C-alpha cells in the first residue's frame, strides 16, 4: 500500500484546495470572498486527509486571503461563499474598508522596498562642482527660509484616544465568538475559529486567519 506524500508547500495546498473545492477556491481567474470561519469547515472536510495538516492548511488559507488578488475583490455587497461555493453572507462597509486599507499598506510596503532596492543599485552621479555655488549669501538665506518653513509645518498631530478594551476571561471564550484582536496599535474585529491550549486562532473580517493568545483578545 503506497503512503501518500504530505503536502507542505503553500502553493501545493492551495492547488489541492482548488481541486477539492472548485466552487470556493481558484488559482487563476476571478476569486470569491470566503465565508468567515471557513477554516473550521475545511478542517472538518479534510479531517481524514493525512496529507494536509491543520497548521499547513491555516498557513495556506492566510496566504490566500492576504494576496492582492483576493483583497481587491473584498467590496461592499459582494457575497462570501462556503466550501461548496454557496453564497452565505454579504461583505459590509467595515470589512471592505479593512481589506482596502490592508491592500494599500501591502502595496506601499512592496513599492517602497522595490524603490529602496533600486536606489541601492544606482551609482551616484551628482556634480560636486554645483555645491560651490551654494555658498552665496542669497542661497544661504533661501535655504534658511526653506528650513524654517519645513520645521513649522512638522508639528505633531494630536491622536484620538481609542475606546478602552475589555479583557476576556479564558472561561468565556468559545469557537464562533466575536471578539477584538490587538494587532499593533489597532484592535481588529474577529471571530474565534479554533482554541488549542494557549493558542487561539481567529479570522479577521477581511477573511485573514491568524494565531494569537488570550492576552491579545478583548471584547
Amino acid at each position: 500500500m503506497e503512503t501518500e506524500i504530505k503536502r507542505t508547500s503553500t502553493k501545493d495546498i492551495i492547488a489541492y484546495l482548488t481541486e477539492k473545492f472548485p466552487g470556493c477556491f481558484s488559482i487563476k481567474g476571478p476569486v470569491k470572498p470566503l465565508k468567515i470561519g471557513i477554516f473550521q469547515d475545511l478542517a472538518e472536510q479534510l479531517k481524514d486527509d493525512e496529507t494536509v495538516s491543520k497548521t499547513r492548511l491555516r498557513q495556506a488559507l492566510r496566504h490566500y486571503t492576504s494576496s492582492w488578488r483576493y483583497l481587491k475583490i473584498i467590496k461592499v455587497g459582494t457575497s462570501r461563499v462556503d466550501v461548496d461555493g454557496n453564497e452565505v453572507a454579504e461583505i459590509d462597509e467595515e470589512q471592505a474598508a479593512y481589506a482596502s486599507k490592508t491592500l494599500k499598506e501591502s502595496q506601499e510596503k512592496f513599492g517602497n522596498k522595490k524603490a529602496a532596492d533600486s536606489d541601492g543599485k544606482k551609482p551616484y552621479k551628482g556634480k560636486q562642482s554645483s555645491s560651490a555655488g551654494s555658498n552665496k549669501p542669497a542661497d544661504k538665506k533661501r535655504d534658511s527660509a526653506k528650513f524654517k518653513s519645513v520645521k513649522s509645518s512638522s508639528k505633531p498631530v494630536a491622536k484620538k484616544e481609542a475606546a478602552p478594551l475589555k479583557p476576556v476571561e479564558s472561561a468565556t471564550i468559545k469557537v464562533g465568538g466575536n471578539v477584538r484582536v490587538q494587532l499593533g496599535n489597532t484592535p481588529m474585529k474577529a471571530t474565534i475559529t479554533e482554541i488549542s491550549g494557549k493558542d487561539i486562532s481567529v479570522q479577521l473580517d477581511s477573511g485573514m486567519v491568524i494565531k494569537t493568545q488570550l492576552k491579545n483578545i478583548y471584547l
Side-chain angles (χ1 to χ4, degrees), residues 72-88:
K72 285 178 180 178
I73 50 89
I74 305 296
K75 305 292 184 183
V76 175
T78 304
S79 295
R80 294 185 181 275
V81 299
D82 60 15
V83 292
D84 297 317
N86 300 316
E87 296 182 354
V88 293

Side-chain angles (χ1 to χ4, degrees), residues 26-69:
S26 69
I27 295 178
K28 296 181 180 179
V31 189
K32 296 178 181 179
L34 304 180
K35 164 192 171 184
I36 300 295
I38 200 170
F39 170 78
Q40 285 299 116
D41 297 341
L42 291 169
E44 178 64 23
Q45 293 270 1
L46 300 172
K47 64 181 180 181
D48 297 325
D49 190 332
E50 297 182 356
T51 67
V52 180
S53 68
K54 280 190 175 182
T55 299
R56 295 297 184 184
L57 174 61
R58 186 182 294 108
Q59 291 173 347
L61 193 60
R62 185 184 302 128
H63 179 84
Y64 187 83
T65 57
S66 301
S67 68
W68 293 1
R69 177 169 165 257

Side-chain angles (χ1 to χ4, degrees), residues 9-195:
S9 77
T10 297
K11 184 178 179 181
D12 286 345
I13 294 175
I14 292 176
Y16 180 63
L17 292 174
T18 301
E19 178 184 339
K20 192 90 172 174
F21 309 102
C24 181
F25 293 92
S26 69
I27 295 178
K28 296 181 180 179
V31 189
K32 296 178 181 179
L34 304 180
K35 164 192 171 184
I36 300 295
I38 200 170
F39 170 78
Q40 285 299 116
D41 297 341
L42 291 169
E44 178 64 23
Q45 293 270 1
L46 300 172
K47 64 181 180 181
D48 297 325
D49 190 332
E50 297 182 356
T51 67
V52 180
S53 68
K54 280 190 175 182
T55 299
R56 295 297 184 184
L57 174 61
R58 186 182 294 108
Q59 291 173 347
L61 193 60
R62 185 184 302 128
H63 179 84
Y64 187 83
T65 57
S66 301
S67 68
W68 293 1
R69 177 169 165 257
Y70 182 88
L71 292 172
K72 285 178 180 178
I73 50 89
I74 305 296
K75 305 292 184 183
V76 175
T78 304
S79 295
R80 294 185 181 275
V81 299
D82 60 15
V83 292
D84 297 317
N86 300 316
E87 296 182 354
V88 293
E90 288 190 354
I91 293 169
D92 59 28
E93 291 185 5
E94 186 176 1
Q95 294 170 1
Y98 177 75
S100 177
K101 176 186 175 185
T102 304
L103 174 63
K104 182 179 179 182
E105 290 176 348
S106 177
Q107 290 176 328
E108 288 178 348
K109 183 178 179 180
F110 179 79
N112 291 339
K113 182 179 183 301
K114 191 173 181 180
D117 291 343
S118 178
D119 290 342
K121 295 177 182 178
K122 290 180 180 179
Y124 178 68
K125 296 182 180 180
K127 295 181 179 179
Q128 293 185 0
S129 59
S130 62
S131 63
S134 62
N135 293 325
K136 295 180 181 179
D139 290 338
K140 288 184 178 180
K141 187 174 182 181
R142 185 163 54 249
D143 291 343
S144 177
K146 186 185 295 184
F147 174 76
K148 288 180 180 179
S149 175
V150 172
K151 187 176 181 181
S152 63
S153 64
S154 60
K155 293 180 180 179
V157 179
K159 296 182 178 179
K160 288 185 178 180
E161 292 187 6
L165 299 175
K166 182 180 178 182
V168 297
E169 299 292 336
S170 59
T172 62
I173 61 171
K174 61 181 180 179
V175 174
N178 295 321
V179 295
R180 286 192 287 174
V181 181
Q182 187 73 35
L183 298 176
N185 297 322
T186 308
M188 302 293 180
K189 288 186 177 181
T191 302
I192 296 176
T193 60
E194 184 183 7
I195 301 173

